[in-house]
Amino acid sequence: MPFRPSLRQLEYVVALAECGHFGKAAKQCHVSQPTLSVQVGIVEENLGVQLFERTSTTVLLTPVGERFVHGARVALAAVGDLLETVAKHSAALGGVIRLGTPPTFGPYFLPRFLPSLHKQYPDLKIYIVEDRPAAIETAVAEGTLDCGLGPLFGERSLMFVPIGRERLLLGVPANHRLAKRRAVSVQELKGERLLALGSGHQLLESVQRLAKASGATVIDDYAGTSLDAIRQMVSIGMGCSLFPELYAQAEFRNAEDVHLLELEGWSETRQVGVCFRSTSGRVAHFQELARRATDAALELGIG
């Protein structure tokens, strides 16, 4: 392989060309004069050319030296541009993030989270994919998504950074026997019919645990595909269901057909956070994303 000067050697050569003096060039490069002199000599020896004409008072570039110095400046400038691009890329959390979030969480969290994140990292591009938590988990593990944002993920190969917890509220029809109450005990739900989202949603597991604790029944002949569908089913008296806090705050503000109740004697919440591959080279980026998400969660009252 032909000799290739190091970047540091190129810097020495350029500095000597600019200063015309070994001592001044060494000072500019923050090295000793012998070090700079030896390194320039190594470049000339290995290239088989004389780059500088040395006199007792000054140092002059030879014709081939002029061409070499021009090329060295171009190469150093290109490396500088590359490093600057990488620095900007790092400052923007990698430049691009493919983020998965479930529709039961993302639409109610992202409007508070994304504007502040964009203000802090204006060059960062985020591509959002909505899907079931289980599907997001798989996509992150396989690398088709960079990270996930939402309810607790169970894939052990992924790193999960918690950002907050959502309360789970019970929604009942407006004409339900418990509708005029502010809170009910778990025991009062014995015999009730509970609606749930389909498989792949953490809320299904929460509804199943509530049914077990209270003696209620999970309706298993229909699984909702969205919280909006579940809410509509509750409104027409098909059963009751659990709704996470952020969804409830946004969608039940003026609702009259469904009433929300707090559950006494049942402290289960929905933990939310950021998940990503622990083997990723961008762990620091996703940890910073989690810190920013934690701030948004605190502002929303779920931190």
Side-chain angles (χ1 to χ4, degrees), residues 249-266:
Q249 290 175 357
E251 302 296 341
F252 286 90
R253 188 173 303 168
N254 300 312
E256 297 182 356
D257 52 0
V258 177
H259 288 196
L260 290 175
L261 308 173
E262 294 183 7
L263 287 166
E264 296 176 341
W266 195 69

Side-chain angles (χ1 to χ4, degrees), residues 80-96 120-125 282 285:
D81 291 341
L82 174 62
L83 294 178
E84 184 177 348
T85 299
V86 170
K88 288 181 178 178
H89 183 76
S90 178
L93 299 187
V96 175
Q120 181 70 26
Y121 301 101
D123 295 327
L124 174 63
K125 294 180 176 61
R282 301 177 62 189
H285 294 162

Side-chain angles (χ1 to χ4, degrees), residues 94 171 205:
E205 299 175 4

